[in-house]
Amino acid sequence: MSAKANWDAELYEAKHSFVWKLGQGVIDLLDPMPGERILDLGCGTGHLTDRIAQRGAEVVGIDASPEMIGQARQNFPQLRFQLQNAGEMKFEDEFDAVFSNAALHWMTNVEGVAAAISRALRRNGRLVAELGGRRNIGHIQDAIESVLCHFETVTMPKSRTYFPSVGEYSSVLEANGLEVRFAQLFDRPTPLEGTNGMEDWIRQFKWYYFEQLPPERRREALDEVLNVLRPILWREDGWIADYRRLRIVAIKM
Ligand SMILES: C[S@@+](CC[C@H](N)C(=O)[O-])C[C@H]1O[C@@H](n2cnc3c(N)ncnc32)[C@H](O)[C@@H]1O
């Protein structure tokens, strides 16, 4: 989903709260201090923005989706949120830290966003982020592509996500004046909620593939994808998504 695509904030709140709940560890890595100025990049519905504020930091959340920012404002009216595309933000030397959870991999203007993050940080400020890493949700992606390529109406859309390796992302950050101090790529098998968990997940995060099909054929395609995935990602009582995460700490030089 690009910044311009619609985010279903209601489905996100109802079924995908694990995204921010599992981001709690990234807040610990950020270790926000009272009085620090912190930018939450791709803040979504604002739950982690709020966790940062609870530690006494002065935080602003930005997100490119009107639906997500609208929900964030409704959830946390006392906090500051701005509707803004990360690649176009104009902050300069303003923040002690830029924080981001599960959002940078949606920002396919990778160089532009790294440059904007670097610009937004003051000298010695830190970027602390978690994003999807190389081969994140590899089985899910493969299943969708292998099924949909058999439907004659589908032109495979360009991927809307960027899942880099440690080396690849470190190079991007270094080229933009950010020195990488910590980087870790790890598997994080993630249980999805309920027996419809994989369908909900695909509808939230990968539906743009299915939108290429006439509406009456989407159900059939989705069922085929679920059949491919069941032997790989269904455990006794639920779906497990094959997440791989990349955690990064980098300092503005
Ligand atoms: C999976 S959500 C994560 C939200 C939040 N960080 C959390 O942990 O719940 C990804 C968010 O990134 C936002 N996003 C994607 N591309 C963006 C861009 N170019 N600029 C700002 N936000 C963007 C989306 O609108 C979405 O709200």
Side-chain angles (χ1 to χ4, degrees):
M1 218 167 297
S2 77
K4 290 190 188 72
N6 289 337
W7 277 81
D8 183 340
E10 213 174 297
L11 180 60
Y12 191 75
E13 293 287 79
K15 299 285 181 189
H16 299 125
S17 61
F18 70 83
V19 175
W20 63 264
K21 286 181 180 153
L22 293 172
Q24 187 57 48
V26 199
I27 301 262
D28 294 336
L29 195 60
L30 171 70
D31 194 17
M33 292 291 164
E36 280 193 314
R37 290 214 65 209
I38 298 182
L39 174 66
D40 182 1
L41 195 56
C43 63
T45 51
H47 293 276
L48 293 178
T49 325
D50 179 55
R51 295 295 162 99
I52 295 169
Q54 283 177 23
R55 301 265 193 116
E58 197 188 309
V59 62
V60 49
I62 78 157
D63 200 285
S65 156
E67 291 81 4
M68 297 298 254
I69 280 288
Q71 186 65 48
R73 287 184 176 137
Q74 203 173 311
N75 290 344
F76 307 103
Q78 73 283 13
L79 299 183
R80 228 177 108 204
F81 295 104
Q82 291 177 13
L83 179 64
Q84 205 170 128
N85 191 312
E88 291 160 16
M89 61 189 182
K90 297 280 182 283
F91 301 114
E92 246 179 82
D93 293 331
E94 281 188 47
F95 293 101
D96 298 300
V98 173
F99 169 85
S100 186
N101 180 58
L104 287 170
H105 55 258
W106 293 105
M107 305 178 193
T108 48
N109 169 16
V110 179
E111 290 288 343
V113 170
I117 291 171
S118 184
R119 226 175 15 248
L121 283 169
R122 62 160 182 75
R123 197 155 175 270
N124 293 325
R126 63 204 187 278
L127 165 68
V128 178
E130 183 173 300
L131 62 152
R134 200 176 72 84
R135 285 292 294 160
N136 186 45
I137 53 113
H139 286 304
I140 305 178
Q141 187 70 34
D142 289 349
I144 292 172
E145 288 181 9
S146 70
V147 167
L148 266 68
C149 71
H150 295 302
F151 285 76
E152 61 288 352
T153 48
V154 173
T155 327
M156 209 52 77
K158 201 166 160 269
S159 174
R160 292 180 180 182
T161 45
Y162 165 72
F163 299 134
S165 67
V166 167
E168 202 180 333
Y169 202 54
S170 298
S171 303
V172 171
L173 296 179
E174 282 168 12
N176 286 283
L178 294 159
E179 184 181 73
V180 176
R181 298 280 177 93
F182 171 86
Q184 185 186 26
L185 177 67
F186 58 98
D187 290 323
R188 196 200 64 197
T190 302
L192 302 178
E193 209 179 296
T195 49
N196 278 334
M198 185 58 74
E199 173 169 344
D200 290 336
W201 189 95
I202 290 173
R203 286 184 183 277
Q204 175 101 61
F205 299 111
K206 292 285 163 188
W207 199 240
Y208 57 92
Y209 281 92
F210 295 81
E211 283 169 343
Q212 308 260 318
L213 292 172
E216 67 280 6
R217 301 208 66 195
R218 292 177 190 167
R219 179 75 249 172
E220 175 195 343
L222 181 58
D223 285 341
E224 274 191 45
V225 171
L226 296 175
N227 287 339
V228 171
L229 287 174
R230 201 163 281 108
I232 312 169
L233 297 178
W234 175 267
R235 303 285 183 273
E236 270 157 44
D237 55 356
W239 289 98
I240 306 284
D242 52 337
Y243 275 68
R244 301 189 86 209
R245 311 313 273 174
L246 176 59
R247 273 191 189 176
I248 287 274
V249 177
I251 305 294
K252 162 89 171 277
M253 301 308 290

